[in-house]
Amino acid sequence: MKESMSRTVFTRFNYLFLSLMGLIMLLPFLHILAGSFSSGNAIMQGKVTIFPIEFTLLNFKAVLNDAAIWRSFGISIFVTVLGTAINLLLTSLMAYGLAKTDLKGRSFLILLVLFTMIFQAPMIPSYLVVKDLGMLNTLWSIMIPNAISAFNLIIMMSFFQRIPKDLLEAARIDGCGEYRTWWKIALPMSLPAMTTVGLFYAVGHWNGYFNSLMFIRDSSLFPLQVKLRKLLVESDAEAMMQSAELTLSSIEGIKMAAIMVATIPILVIYPFIQKYFTQGAMLGSIKE
């Protein structure tokens, strides 16, 4: 009875604490959302909290009428889709190989992977490598250098190690080579892990801007997050405001609307793949 009571108290406290923390994390988002639909005067006067004041769509009109925003939006989608596909392809291939305990040099290779988790490549050597590979001022410079994440690689490797060896041996007996076994057996069984790792990669590509600032100089190749940064810290918001014939007090509203345009797409995708986070690691395998 005492254990049951203490567990009930702990569970209720846990729910209360996590709900409170979730609310605290949600408040800044609600504030930005409310500001994006509020008039510039209400924002400048500090009237906006989590509800719009003097509701208006002019902020979003100014943002969505800017051709540069749409170009950056398309670039971000392209980089996120293609970059994530490259990430999943290379990560799954390497993880599948390292998951084999009989691989020669496996321990040394895993040690190198763990080393990159502790010591990151400095900025200048990274720039020189990208330059020597001829990828400066191209979209490849923001997709290839970070093609494999050590953390995600370990997740995939541990998943592949759970696949029954008898199943892999049966595939080899049927004439499947390593690549065909990886494609026909390992990948279909790794849907939850692939989806989880893919989300990590996709969010990283969508939110990434540092590599773009470092490797890209052509403004027509800037992804959405770099364009958003220019709106927030440079004079792009003023130019957008003037083109939309808005008042000076609308600058903050334009910035908030731009933040929402950059944030909402990745939030819309998440609910569709959330279920894979709670599914078993052996989903789709043969049940005994």
Side-chain angles (χ1 to χ4, degrees):
M1 178 64 69
K2 291 183 179 180
E3 291 181 357
S4 178
M5 180 64 68
S6 61
R7 185 173 183 83
T8 301
V9 172
F10 173 77
T11 301
R12 292 181 178 179
F13 173 79
N14 204 17
Y15 277 117
L16 179 62
F17 175 75
L18 293 178
S19 299
L20 180 61
M21 292 300 297
L23 180 61
I24 293 175
M25 296 178 184
L26 188 61
L27 286 177
F29 177 81
L30 295 178
H31 174 70
I32 298 296
L33 179 62
S36 65
F37 288 106
S38 300
S39 68
N41 290 330
I43 296 174
M44 298 299 292
Q45 294 174 11
K47 296 180 180 180
V48 180
T49 53
I50 60 174
F51 299 103
I53 303 297
E54 299 177 5
F55 184 87
T56 180
L57 296 176
L58 290 178
N59 298 324
F60 282 97
K61 180 181 179 181
V63 172
L64 297 179
N65 283 341
D66 185 22
I69 286 287
W70 286 106
R71 183 174 61 248
S72 298
F73 190 83
I75 291 174
S76 289
I77 293 177
F78 175 80
V79 170
T80 300
V81 174
L82 181 59
T84 301
I86 294 173
N87 294 141
L88 291 177
L89 174 64
L90 299 181
T91 301
S92 61
L93 280 172
M94 187 173 182
Y96 179 74
L98 291 178
K100 297 182 178 298
T101 57
D102 57 347
L103 178 67
K104 293 182 179 180
R106 177 175 179 269
S107 299
F108 178 71
L109 292 175
I110 293 178
L111 180 62
L112 292 180
V113 172
L114 295 176
F115 183 84
T116 63
M117 294 182 65
I118 302 173
F119 302 98
Q120 299 292 328
M123 181 172 60
I124 295 178
S126 299
Y127 180 86
L128 293 177
V129 169
V130 172
K131 179 181 178 181
D132 290 341
L133 292 175
M135 293 190 298
L136 282 181
N137 212 32
T138 67
L139 295 180
W140 297 113
S141 64
I142 57 181
M143 291 186 287
I144 300 301
N146 297 321
I148 298 179
S149 165
F151 177 77
N152 294 334
L153 177 67
I154 292 175
I155 293 177
M156 290 296 300
M157 185 177 66
S158 61
F159 179 86
F160 284 135
Q161 287 177 332
R162 295 186 182 184
I163 298 178
K165 294 182 179 180
D166 295 341
L167 188 60
L168 300 179
E169 290 296 334
R172 294 190 185 95
I173 293 174
D174 289 339
C176 293
E178 290 295 346
Y179 286 106
R180 190 174 181 183
T181 302
W182 163 76
W183 179 257
K184 294 292 186 178
I185 304 298
L187 286 187
M189 295 177 61
S190 64
L191 184 59
M194 291 284 286
T195 305
T196 302
V197 171
L199 178 64
F200 292 157
Y201 278 128
V203 172
H205 283 299
W206 185 265
N207 292 332
Y209 73 94
F210 182 75
N211 283 353
S212 301
L213 290 176
M214 186 166 58
F215 300 136
I216 296 180
R217 292 291 176 265
D218 187 356
S219 60
S220 64
L221 296 178
F222 283 159
L224 185 59
Q225 299 301 330
V226 176
K227 181 63 177 176
L228 176 61
R229 178 185 179 275
K230 293 174 69 65
L231 285 174
L232 296 179
V233 302
E234 299 181 18
S235 59
D236 287 29
E238 295 182 10
M240 187 180 299
M241 174 200 66
Q242 294 173 0
S243 64
E245 299 180 353
L246 299 177
T247 62
L248 180 64
S249 58
S250 300
I251 293 179
E252 293 301 320
I254 291 176
K255 291 180 179 180
M256 292 182 179
I259 292 174
M260 296 308 304
V261 170
T263 305
I264 289 177
I266 202 69
L267 293 179
V268 172
I269 296 175
Y270 179 77
F272 294 99
I273 58 180
Q274 181 184 9
K275 61 180 180 180
Y276 293 107
F277 283 82
T278 57
Q279 290 183 359
M282 295 304 297
L283 178 67
S285 62
I286 299 176
K287 296 183 180 181
E288 297 181 359

